[in-house]
């Protein structure tokens, strides 16, 4: 590769960084020169964030246009990662706000070391077992690597760009999204319905609630095992029931358009308890006087439910959408592995299941790592939406 | 006081001496890919007998759900230096097994010993197809144990009623199906097979077509797969045709799970015929007895257009881990020898249907009249011994074969469930497989 | 608007009507009926699994809805051939250790975040916060290599240590503590209590609901471990129950559903027991800490 390419890239990055910070922070400020310099430095750092480990390989001549576009994308992401915090820090600095300020929580104990002692185990474990493997996953994703092989090979961003025209991968993404969507929509609607029922003040409500929520304690694997028995094409109880009542048989596990429904039903069954629990808790917070006022105004049961209860439950619904999506992305793995094994015709192969097949079954660590990162980015997107919309709400689960 | 401390010292000495007397037996871990009472249970029984005979060893058998899972688990275990003493690898993992360096060859471990712990070793006693397959570079590499071939099971009640002979070719299968499906009490479908790349490999070998280059990987390391050849396309076109005509039942299950669905369809008489591994001859025969229909096993039908050259071996063998402590290695070797001795080879054959791998076992069984009374049990070995040995029928050896086999399985899945053209599907499967092979070779070959 | 006066008039008539009905059928009987139906549908899969656990395959294919006679035989397969008991012990052990460890570390983290002032708190907080976006499932390949290089492959440590820290738990307690009036800690400090004494004597006793909720969530989470143990644990000695169930799935041979269902049912007992025992705390832990 010609040496001028990295130089050109870094130059543009410096320029963009300087312009960005200057426009957003430093315009007309006394310290504008400092801002420009800081912007240039941060811009370069952002460009180098991915390009240094990759050694600018995406711009080598033997790489095609897709690799180059991907390289530019990586530079842009890297710059966003460095410039956005830089803007925040600079703004506070220039406005003489100390960002080391300590919140004045009343009733605080004295001591600076002690809190770190309390936090140390948590921080160390998170750093070693979450942060480090994340970085390592990035490194792995640039390699051709197999367990037990005497060597590895650096393949630049091939593990990512090869997915661009891979129709099987595209299919996997669609399958993941559709299955997740169905699990969320069907799961939440049914759960809300059941929660409203269970919320009615009837005798034995406690016992009913226990009987409704317990599948929460069942594992995704066991859900897969039990539904495998029930959906079995020969001898399954569900087809027996359908056949004797309606005279139909459904090819639950061997038709690519039906098999995802088997996974969805099993997953919804397993996750409903959790949703019902939250909805019951939410319903307890719906003010009675509001509902009474509405009923005095002549709103019937359905209208009261649609116009008052559902809007008041929307923060919980939103929270549940996110946790159910995470569940659908990751925890359905056990169900799928026992129920359909990803088939037929890959119709139940989710992104997570594919990562397992490629990484473990095919022993192709690099490709699996690359696909992990794509899934990672999707999860980050979801989490950001969650925080944006609902503030620092406590996340239940995992 | 002095006396007391003397007493203490004596007690301490006694205590420390106990382990020397009651020596802890050496653990010999064995991982196999069976979980059913029939096969895992059989192996556990042999281990129990062995442990009784040789109290210095403690053989522990662990069962994994299928070959693919065990194969993955072995690579993971090797990464953490926790390999067991013996691992059962299926035939397609042979190249990976050699490249990995996890294992040592049986011949090398034995050296020139003709007996071990008083058990006599006889590596010349194996039937020809078995010793041919497991001899690599002129050396006995792994211990044969469960050797099978793909055969054909017929529900004679349907065949007799339809007045057809047992089919031997694809055309005869079609003709038989036509007659069977016209019956008044016709089954739901005519025949099925477990969707597992192994059957594709069998049908390819029958037509004397190679799966990979360089003499199917036997002359030199395979660098390309060639399965999208005419013979390969013919297999897929035939299956597709049978599916379109409504004769072929396809459960949609692949790999491990597909075997169980075929079992279920055949034993519940929803189909008349099935391609299956001879490994389950015992179960298939018994299922007919239990449910009142006659089951006859026959050779796997072949393509009329190209004729029959021969069939492949299937199943798995037992590999010995490299670098074991001497006493563990000796224990492992002794157990391998014990588990595959004449008596046990015969019993294993009778319990399952895997072929009797020792000449002496075959002899003993013949003397008993076993094969005359149970003709189904001789089909697989007959099919193998009547095969002409070519590079195609010897079977392919190539890297990343377990993954490549899955690619073929997926291709069959696609052909059977969509309208896509078999030749196109197979061609793109071949390209995918070639990438896998190329990447594998990049990391392993010199 | 025309209906308005009628609405007001109703209370005078209504009591007599409902009083008459109350004696005949349970109040709001239709709710009971609906709840029964829903409970039945939700419970059916497990009910059917328990039934099948006593049957043979031919019982199942004949759709017999009475308990079969092969429970002892199925039990033998589950316990003596698949050796599920050992897996259960392993799962129980790691679930208890991880749950206890997580609760303790989360309590400490919550204490540090709410009852201390220290520089860089927002940074530390952010550091923990971001891990909510890092599901272990995505990182397993890299984690596998890391844990092996630590020499923890195939040990309980691999199933325990990486999971001891919990962003969820830290936030749960932070949130819960933040809602407790600050007078409590001020009073404790006046009495000369150390932070640990404050935690043990005052905070924990008023946090049982949150602790109970976290315990249920984490116990179930650890009990459900599947893909990670598939990788990191090899051999049966230390394997967990969700993976162990695979031994009951016939691989290339006919699946026997009786033992498989018996195994599934047995594997579900501990988490269900934990859930039932801590049900009250679990439910009120949610109501209490949920955001406004």
């Amino acid at each position: 590769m010609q040496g001028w390419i990295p130089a050109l890239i870094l130059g543009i990055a410096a320029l963009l960084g300087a312009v960005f910070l200057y426009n957003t922070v430093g315009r007309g400020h006394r310290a504008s020169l400092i801002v420009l310099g800081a912007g240039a430095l941060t811009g370069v750092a952002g460009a180098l964030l991915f390009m240094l480990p990759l050694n600018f390989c995406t711009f080598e001549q033997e790489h095609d246009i897709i690799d180059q576009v991907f390289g530019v994308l990586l530079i842009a992401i890297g710059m966003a990662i460095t410039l956005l915090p830089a803007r925040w820090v600079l703004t506070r600095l220039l406005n003489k706000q100390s960002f080391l300020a300590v919140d004045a929580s009343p009733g605080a104990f004295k001591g600076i070391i002690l809190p770190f002692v309390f936090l140390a185990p948590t921080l160390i474990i998170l750093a070693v077992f979450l942060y480090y493997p994340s970085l390592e996953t990035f490194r792995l994703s640039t390699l051709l690597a197999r367990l037990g092989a005497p060597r590895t090979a650096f393949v630049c961003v091939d593990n990512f760009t090869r997915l661009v025209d891979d129709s099987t991968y595209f299919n996997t993404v669609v399958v993941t999204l559709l299955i997740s969507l169905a699990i969320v929509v069907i799961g939440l609607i049914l759960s809300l319905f059941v929660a409203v029922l269970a919320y009615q003040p009837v005798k034995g409500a406690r016992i009913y609630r226990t009987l409704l929520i317990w599948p929460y304690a069942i594992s995704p694997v066991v859900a897969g095992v039990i539904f495998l028995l029930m959906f079995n094409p020969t001898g399954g109880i569900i087809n027996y029931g359908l056949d004797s009542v309606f005279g139909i048989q459904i090819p639950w596990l061997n038709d690519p358009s039906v098999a995802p429904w088997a996974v969805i039903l099993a997953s919804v069954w397993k996750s409903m308890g959790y949703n019902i629990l939250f909805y019951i808790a939410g319903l307890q917070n719906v003010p009675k006087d509001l509902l009474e006022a509405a009923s005095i105004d002549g709103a019937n049961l359905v209208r009261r439910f649609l116009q008052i209860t559902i809007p008041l439950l929307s923060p919980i619904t939103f929270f549940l959408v996110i946790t159910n999506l995470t569940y659908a992305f990751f925890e359905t793995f056990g169900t799928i592995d026992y129920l359909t094994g990803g088939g037929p015709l890959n119709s139940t192969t989710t992104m997570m299941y594919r990562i397992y097949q490629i990484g473990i079954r095919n022993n192709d660590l690099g490709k699996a790592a690359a696909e992990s990162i794509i899934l990672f980015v999707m999860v980050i997107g979801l989490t950001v939406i969650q925080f944006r919309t609902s503030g620092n709400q406590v996340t239940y689960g995992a | 006081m002095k006396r007391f401390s003397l007493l203490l010292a004596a007690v301490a000495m006694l205590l420390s001496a106990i382990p020397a007397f009651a020596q802890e037996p050496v653990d010999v871990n064995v991982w196999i890919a069976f979980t059913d009472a029939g096969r895992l249970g059989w192996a556990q029984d042999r281990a129990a007998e062995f442990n009784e005979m040789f109290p210095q060893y403690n053989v522990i058998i662990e069962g994994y759900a299928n070959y693919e899972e065990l194969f993955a688990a072995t690579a993971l275990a090797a990464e953490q230096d926790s390999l067991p003493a013996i691992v059962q690898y299926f035939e397609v993992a042979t190249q990976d097994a050699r490249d990995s360096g996890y294992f040592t060859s049986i011949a090398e471990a034995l050296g020139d010993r003709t007996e071990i712990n008083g058990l006599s070793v006889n590596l010349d006693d194996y039937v020809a197809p078995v010793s041919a397959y497991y001899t690599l570079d002129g050396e006995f590499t792994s211990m044969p144990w469960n050797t099978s071939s793909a055969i054909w099971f017929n529900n004679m009640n349907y065949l007799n009623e339809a007045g057809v002979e047992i089919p031997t070719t694809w055309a005869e299968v079609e003709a038989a199906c036509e007659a069977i499906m016209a019956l008044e009490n016709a089954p739901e479908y005519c025949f099925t097979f477990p969707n597992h790349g192994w059957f594709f490999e069998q049908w390819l070998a029958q037509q004397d077509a190679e799966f990979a280059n360089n003499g199917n990987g036997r002359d030199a390391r395979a660098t390309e797969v060639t399965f999208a050849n005419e013979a390969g396309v013919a297999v897929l076109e035939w299956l597709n045709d049978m599916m379109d005509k409504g004769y072929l039942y396809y459960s949609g299950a692949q790999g491990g799970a597909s075997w169980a669905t075929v079992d279920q369809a055949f034993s519940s008489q929803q189909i008349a015929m099935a391609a299956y591994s001879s490994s389950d001859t015992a179960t298939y025969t018994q299922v007919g007895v239990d449910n009142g229909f006659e089951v006859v096993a026959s050779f796997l039908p072949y393509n009329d257009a190209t004729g029959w050259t021969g069939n492949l071996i299937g199943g798995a063998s037992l590999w010995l881990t490299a670098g074991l402590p001497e006493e563990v290695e000796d224990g492992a070797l002794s157990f391998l020898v014990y588990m595959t001795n004449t008596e046990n080879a015969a019993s294993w054959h009778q319990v399952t249907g895997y072929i009797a791998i020792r000449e002496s076992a075959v002899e003993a069984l013949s003397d008993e009249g076993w094969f005359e009374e149970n003709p189904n049990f001789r089909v697989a070995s007959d099919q193998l011994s009547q095969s002409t040995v070519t590079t195609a029928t010897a079977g392919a050896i190539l890297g990343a074969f377990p993954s490549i086999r899955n690619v073929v399985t997926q291709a069959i899945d696609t052909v059977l469930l969509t309208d896509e053209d078999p030749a196109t599907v197979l061609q793109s499967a071949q390209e995918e497989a070639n990438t896998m092979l190329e990447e594998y070779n990049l990391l392993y070959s010199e | 608007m025309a209906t308005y006066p009628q609405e007001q008039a109703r209370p005078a008539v209504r009591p007599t009507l409902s009083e008459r009905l109350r004696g005949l059928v349970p109040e709001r009987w239709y709710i009971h009926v609906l709840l029964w139906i829903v409970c039945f549908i939700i419970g059916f899969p497990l009910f059917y699994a328990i039934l099948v656990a006593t049957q043979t395959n031919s019982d199942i294919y004949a759709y017999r809805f009475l308990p079969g006679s092969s429970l002892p035989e199925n039990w033998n397969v589950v316990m003596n051939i698949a050796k599920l008991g050992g897996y259960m012990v392993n799962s129980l052990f790691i679930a208890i250790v991880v749950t206890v460890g997580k609760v303790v570390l989360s309590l400490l983290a919550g204490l540090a975040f709410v009852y201390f002032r220290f520089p860089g708190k927002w940074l530390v907080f952010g550091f923990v916060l971001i891990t909510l976006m890092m599901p272990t499932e995505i990182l397993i390949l890299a984690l596998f290599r890391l844990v092996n290089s630590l020499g923890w492959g195939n040990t309980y440590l691999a199933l325990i240590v990486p999971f001891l820290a919990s962003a969820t738990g830290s936030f749960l307690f932070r949130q819960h503590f933040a809602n407790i009036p600050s007078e409590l800690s001020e009073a404790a400090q006046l009495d000369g209590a150390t932070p640990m004494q404050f935690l043990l004597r005052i905070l924990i006793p008023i946090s049982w609901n949150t602790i109970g909720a976290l315990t249920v969530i984490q116990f179930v989470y650890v009990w459900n471990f599947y893909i990670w143990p598939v990788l990191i644990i090899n051999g049966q000695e230390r394997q967990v129950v969700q993976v162990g169930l695979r031994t009951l799935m016939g691989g290339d041979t006919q699946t026997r559903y009786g033992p498989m269902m018996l195994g599934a049912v047995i594997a579900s007992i501990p988490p269900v027991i934990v859930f039932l025992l801590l049900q009250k705390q679990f439910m009120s832990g949610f109501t209490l800490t949920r955001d406004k």
Side-chain angles (χ1 to χ4, degrees), chain B residues 32-75:
Chain B
I32 61 175
F34 300 128
T35 55
D36 54 313
R39 286 177 278 190
L40 178 58
W42 185 90
Q44 284 172 337
D45 289 347
R46 299 294 84 73
E49 290 163 12
F50 181 83
N51 292 342
E52 195 144 309
M53 284 164 63
F54 300 98
Q56 68 267 43
Y57 301 122
N58 179 32
V59 174
I60 304 161
I61 311 258
E62 296 190 9
Y64 280 78
N66 52 52
Y67 294 135
E68 290 84 356
E69 253 171 56
L70 177 53
F71 177 69
T74 306

Side-chain angles (χ1 to χ4, degrees), chain B residues 401-421:
Chain B
F401 201 173
S403 319
I404 289 171
R405 177 182 268 180
N406 282 341
V407 171
V408 175
T409 307
Q410 293 269 333
I412 298 172
D413 190 50
T414 309
V415 165
L416 295 184
L417 291 175
T418 67
D419 298 331
E420 286 176 52
D421 170 49

Side-chain angles (χ1 to χ4, degrees), chain A residues 88 99-100 102-112 114-116 118-119 121-123 125-134 136-137 139-140 147 193-194 197-198 200-203 206 208-222 225-230 232 234-237 240 269-270 272 276-278 281 284-285 295-296 316 330 333-334 337-338 352 356 359-360 365 368-369 372 375-376 379-380 383 387 392-398, chain C residues 4 7 28 31-32 34-36 38-39 42-46 48-49 52 60-61 63 65 105 108-109 111-122 124 127-135 137-139 141-147 150 152 161-162 164-165 168 170-172 175 182 185-186 189 193-196 198 216-218 220-221 224 226-227 230-231 242-243 245-246 249 257 260-261 264 268 271-272 275-276 279-280 282-283 285-287 289-291:
Chain A
W88 186 78
F99 49 90
L100 289 179
V102 172
D103 56 343
S105 44
F109 284 88
K110 288 187 190 68
I112 302 264
L114 209 52
F116 284 103
F118 291 153
L119 283 169
T122 301
L123 297 182
I125 288 171
L126 293 180
V128 175
F129 296 106
L130 279 173
Y131 279 90
Y132 172 76
S134 306
E136 176 72 7
T137 304
R139 198 181 68 83
L140 263 181
L147 288 180
F193 167 75
V194 175
L197 262 186
Q200 302 303 315
V202 292
K203 246 191 186 159
R206 276 201 87 81
Y208 282 126
R209 283 180 199 179
T210 307
L211 287 176
L212 293 170
I213 294 171
W214 67 268
Y216 166 68
I218 298 287
S219 75
V221 161
V222 170
V225 169
I226 294 181
F227 278 77
L228 175 65
L229 168 74
M230 300 206 309
N232 191 350
T234 46
I237 188 78
Y240 173 71
W269 175 73
K270 190 252 161 301
M272 261 175 72
I276 294 171
L277 179 70
F278 268 91
Q284 282 165 349
N285 283 17
S295 92
I296 291 168
I316 289 191
F330 299 111
F333 178 86
D337 199 28
Y338 276 79
M352 189 62 219
Y356 167 76
I360 311 301
L365 303 181
S372 297
L375 189 53
F376 198 172
V379 174
I380 289 176
T383 321
F387 278 114
N392 292 357
Q393 246 182 13
V394 168
T395 315
Y396 267 94
Chain C
Y4 197 58
E7 286 285 338
R28 321 228 283 164
I31 304 265
H32 284 277
L34 279 174
L35 278 169
W36 268 106
V38 173
C39 287
I42 288 183
F44 181 78
L46 189 75
Y48 186 58
V52 166
I60 300 164
Y61 299 148
Y63 307 106
F65 287 100
L105 291 193
L108 290 176
L111 181 73
F113 279 135
V114 176
Y115 292 102
F116 283 92
R117 302 172 194 174
F118 55 93
K121 197 191 229 179
W122 64 272
V124 177
F127 183 87
V128 178
L129 187 87
I130 288 173
T131 61
L132 280 178
M133 299 187 221
M134 302 179 185
E137 287 89 344
I138 300 180
L139 311 171
L141 292 172
L143 194 61
F144 173 78
R145 287 159 65 107
L146 168 71
V147 168
L150 291 173
W152 293 357
V161 179
L164 285 178
T168 311
S170 308
F171 288 129
L172 193 56
Q175 182 103 354
S182 58
S185 80
E186 279 158 12
Q189 286 181 67
T194 65
M196 276 316 274
F198 175 61
V216 174
I217 293 170
Q218 296 304 343
V220 170
Y221 172 68
N224 292 354
Y226 180 56
I227 186 166
V230 164
L231 262 74
Q242 308 292 340
V243 183
L245 281 176
R246 273 214 92 82
M249 296 266 285
Y257 289 102
M260 198 165 114
M261 288 306 127
S268 302
V272 170
F275 167 76
L276 291 178
Q279 201 193 156
K280 206 178 121 234
F282 186 49
M283 294 194 185
F286 277 115
T287 3
T289 56
R290 213 176 25 75
D291 249 358

Side-chain angles (χ1 to χ4, degrees), chain A residues 144-153 232-234 253-254 256 343-346 356 360-364 367, chain B residues 68-69 72 76 79 96 102 249-252 254 264 270 403 410 413-414 417-418 436 439-440 442-445:
Chain A
L144 180 60
R146 294 177 77 89
L147 288 180
R151 53 180 170 269
T152 57
N232 191 350
T234 46
L253 302 176
N254 49 4
L345 211 64
N346 288 324
Y356 167 76
I360 311 301
R361 286 299 176 80
N362 289 358
N363 193 357
D364 198 335
K367 292 192 186 70
Chain B
E68 290 84 356
E69 253 171 56
L76 295 168
E79 201 70 4
D96 288 54
Y102 302 156
Y249 166 67
Y250 177 48
S251 72
Q254 301 163 36
Q264 249 160 33
Q270 293 181 339
S403 319
Q410 293 269 333
D413 190 50
T414 309
L417 291 175
T418 67
M436 286 177 169
E439 290 176 349
Y440 178 94
L442 186 71
L443 296 186
Y444 279 104
S445 62

